[in-house]
């Protein structure tokens, strides 16, 4: 049987490749972005309580109402921004499902979608499988700053959507207020939708503030926010996320969502809703992860790797240009096999595989793991 692939250029993700290689060679896995420590025992107990108290059948299609109320309260607390819990918030099977559903709901054949590379690898396939055309804007190491004149030059009558990501995976950079104002200026008086991937909103360092699209009135009117409880509460395997948007946009989102997954894990939703009643569960994450970032960077300060401290996310990019001129994929694989430490090469996220000689390391690990990993990196 023969068929023509809708995604002929898509293979196995680099995350799967590097994690499998780490397992094969018994390497410390700082590649895939998941913690190697347990999620909160309190949260686990709250989810168990939800199961024992009957939350075992379908949740409402839009999500458990207690959780949507908790999300709504969080946006009011952090950003003084209002999302109606019944009309403007939907709980999803992780942020990736939210992103795919947003793109599926709005992108038609021939529509153009602007993304910034290095880009998380789920954006482009979702655009292309829905018949859209990806318009890439390449950012450069080490600062990954946006050239807004270039963005303006890429906007056409076919531009349907712009996908942004701050804090940014994989670079660990954040957008400044001026970036958001520039985006707002460029999209004002257009029909362009903004998809803002904000899954690391609670992991920002050195006293900086997260610049959410909901802080900017005109941007908010045209934007979806996608977020991840897996990233926030150290349980990526639960695959619980959500999205927020004005009612007119959310109505279209739910038309696709209800026939895609309909609803997601009910007891986990209820447990998270109860857990979020204590706001410190998410407000304390910046300090928690900054301690890990600072530990990791202090431990590798004498290594031959160069770096600018991560501004957000739980990823640190390391420049290896003074160590070798190997292609980053080759070097990442050699580190895994020979030195027993796995990372992610950034060229796989870039336009035409642009190789800046940098690797991404995840520091959402126990201090013991970070110490062992740093000892290896200092020997390279």
């Amino acid at each position: 049987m023969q068929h023509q692939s809708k995604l002929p250029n898509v293979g196995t993700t680099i995350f799967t490749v590097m994690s499998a290689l780490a397992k094969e060679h018994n390497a410390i896995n700082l590649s895939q972005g998941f913690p190697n420590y347990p999620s909160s025992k309190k949260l686990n107990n709250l989810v168990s309580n939800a199961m024992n108290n009957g939350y075992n059948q379908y949740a409402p299609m839009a999500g458990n109402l207690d959780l949507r109320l908790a999300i709504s309260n969080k946006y009011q607390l952090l950003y003084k921004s209002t999302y109606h819990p019944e009309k403007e918030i939907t709980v999803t099977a992780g942020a990736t499902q939210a992103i795919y559903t947003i793109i599926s709901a709005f992108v038609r054949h021939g529509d153009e979608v602007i993304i910034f590379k290095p880009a998380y690898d789920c954006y482009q396939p979702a655009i292309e499988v829905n018949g859209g055309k990806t318009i890439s804007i390449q950012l450069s190491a080490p600062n990954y700053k946006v050239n807004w004149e270039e963005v303006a030059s890429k906007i056409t009558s076919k531009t349907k959507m712009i996908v942004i990501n701050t804090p940014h995976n994989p670079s660990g950079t954040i957008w400044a207020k001026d970036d958001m104002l520039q985006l707002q200026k460029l999209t004002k008086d257009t029909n362009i939708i903004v998809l803002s991937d904000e899954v690391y909103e609670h992991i920002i360092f050195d006293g900086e503030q997260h610049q959410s699209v909901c802080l900017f009135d005109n941007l908010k009117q045209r934007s979806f926010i996608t977020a991840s409880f897996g990233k926030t509460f150290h349980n990526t395997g639960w695959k619980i996320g959500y999205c927020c948007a004005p009612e007119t946009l959310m109505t279209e989102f739910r038309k696709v969502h209800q026939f895609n997954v309909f609803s997601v894990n009910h007891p986990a939703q209820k447990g998270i809703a109860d857990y979020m009643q204590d706001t410190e569960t998410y407000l304390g994450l910046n300090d928690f992860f900054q301690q890990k970032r600072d530990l990791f960077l202090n431990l590798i300060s004498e290594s031959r790797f160069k770096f600018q401290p991560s501004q957000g996310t739980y990823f640190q990019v390391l420049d290896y240009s003074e160590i070798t001129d190997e292609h980053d994929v080759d070097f990442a694989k050699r580190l895994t096999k020979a030195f027993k430490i796995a990372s992610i090469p950034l060229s796989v996220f870039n336009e035409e595989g642009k190789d800046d000689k940098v690797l991404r390391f995840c520091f959402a690990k126990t201090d013991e793991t970070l110490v062992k990993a740093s000892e290896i990196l200092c020997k390279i």
Side-chain angles (χ1 to χ4, degrees):
M1 182 177 177
Q2 292 183 334
H3 66 275
Q4 185 175 358
S5 174
K6 294 179 74 174
L7 295 171
N9 299 316
V10 172
T12 305
T13 74
I14 191 66
F15 305 108
T16 299
V17 171
M18 294 309 300
S19 283
L21 202 63
K23 185 174 182 180
E24 179 184 350
H25 293 276
N26 196 29
I28 296 175
N29 189 356
L30 301 192
S31 59
Q32 202 165 355
F34 60 83
N36 70 336
Y37 45 83
S39 59
S40 161
K41 184 172 290 187
K42 179 181 177 181
L43 175 55
N44 294 346
N45 289 337
L46 288 169
V47 174
S48 294
N49 290 343
M51 290 182 185
N52 292 329
N53 289 318
Y55 289 87
N56 298 305
Q57 309 309 324
Y58 294 122
M61 182 266 286
N64 175 277
L65 183 56
D66 288 345
L67 182 53
R68 285 181 279 148
L69 284 166
I71 294 166
S72 179
N73 290 338
K74 187 193 78 166
Y75 277 90
Q76 184 64 43
L77 172 67
L78 290 179
Y79 310 115
K80 301 294 187 289
S81 187
T82 302
Y83 285 103
H84 194 289
E86 293 185 338
K87 301 176 181 178
E88 298 181 322
I89 299 171
T90 301
V91 181
T92 61
T96 301
Q97 183 246 312
I99 290 165
Y100 186 87
T101 302
I102 293 163
I103 292 169
S104 298
F106 292 96
V107 173
R108 293 180 169 86
H109 183 78
D111 284 345
E112 295 178 351
V113 181
I114 293 174
I115 69 172
F116 298 87
K117 291 193 172 184
Y120 186 60
D121 61 356
C122 81
Y123 303 155
Q124 189 163 344
I127 295 162
E128 293 177 355
V129 81
N130 282 287
K133 180 181 179 182
T134 302
I135 306 297
S136 299
I137 294 176
Q138 180 64 52
L139 309 180
S140 294
N143 297 315
Y144 300 94
K145 295 295 185 185
V146 177
N147 179 336
W148 287 103
E149 291 182 0
E150 182 182 2
V151 179
S153 72
K154 296 291 181 74
I155 294 176
T156 72
S157 60
K158 294 182 179 180
T159 304
K160 184 69 175 184
M161 185 178 292
I162 299 175
V163 181
I164 70 171
N165 175 208
T166 182
H168 183 244
N169 176 18
S171 73
T173 57
I174 60 175
W175 278 24
K177 181 178 180 179
D178 185 63
D179 290 308
M180 306 305 286
L181 290 173
Q182 293 276 12
L183 178 62
Q184 180 169 254
K185 181 180 177 181
L186 285 180
T187 55
K188 189 176 182 181
D189 300 322
T190 72
N191 290 319
I192 296 171
I193 295 166
V194 173
L195 194 170
S196 186
D197 180 350
E198 302 185 16
V199 301
Y200 297 101
E201 66 171 318
H202 299 301
I203 311 176
I204 291 188
F205 308 129
D206 304 317
E208 295 293 333
Q209 300 297 311
H210 173 54
Q211 299 298 322
S212 173
V213 290
C214 70
L215 292 168
F216 305 87
D217 288 344
N218 191 270
L219 267 184
K220 181 182 177 181
Q221 293 170 21
R222 67 180 68 256
S223 295
F224 281 93
I225 293 172
T226 63
S228 165
F229 288 120
K231 295 291 191 290
T232 301
F233 293 140
H234 322 303
N235 42 40
T236 59
W238 293 8
K239 294 298 292 181
I240 306 289
Y242 64 90
C243 69
C244 303
E247 183 179 359
T248 53
L249 295 178
M250 189 57 74
T251 298
E252 296 305 310
F253 176 93
R254 289 180 179 176
K255 289 178 182 178
V256 176
H257 174 77
Q258 68 180 337
F259 297 116
N260 186 353
V261 297
F262 183 73
S263 65
V264 302
N265 189 305
H266 201 173
Q269 290 189 59
K270 175 58 177 170
I272 292 170
D274 294 341
Y275 189 61
M276 287 178 69
Q277 300 309 305
D278 177 4
T279 59
E280 189 60 24
T281 56
Y282 50 87
L283 295 179
L285 286 174
N286 291 339
D287 289 342
F288 174 80
F289 280 111
Q290 178 150 352
Q291 289 172 3
K292 291 191 175 295
R293 182 204 68 172
D294 292 349
L295 172 66
F296 183 56
L297 294 184
N298 286 335
L299 289 169
I300 65 168
S301 61
E302 301 301 318
S303 75
R304 292 195 290 164
F305 291 93
K306 297 185 295 183
F307 56 82
Q308 292 188 6
S310 172
Q311 296 174 302
T313 75
Y314 45 54
F315 303 116
Q316 177 64 52
V317 170
L318 300 183
D319 180 326
Y320 66 85
S321 58
E322 293 184 356
I323 300 173
T324 178
D325 62 359
E326 287 172 88
H327 190 275
D328 64 353
V329 174
D330 296 332
F331 186 50
K333 290 181 177 179
R334 183 162 72 88
L335 287 186
T336 307
K337 296 174 182 177
F339 290 90
K340 309 301 182 188
I341 186 164
S343 59
I344 293 290
L346 262 65
S347 67
V348 298
F349 306 118
N350 285 334
E351 190 71 0
E352 297 180 352
K354 183 175 184 286
D355 180 12
D356 289 318
K357 308 301 179 191
V358 293
L359 302 176
R360 191 200 78 173
F361 293 82
C362 175
F363 54 82
K365 308 296 177 183
T366 62
D367 290 356
E368 178 186 12
T369 299
L370 294 176
V371 169
K372 290 180 180 178
S374 300
E375 290 172 351
I376 295 172
L377 293 173
C378 286
K379 294 176 182 176
I380 295 170

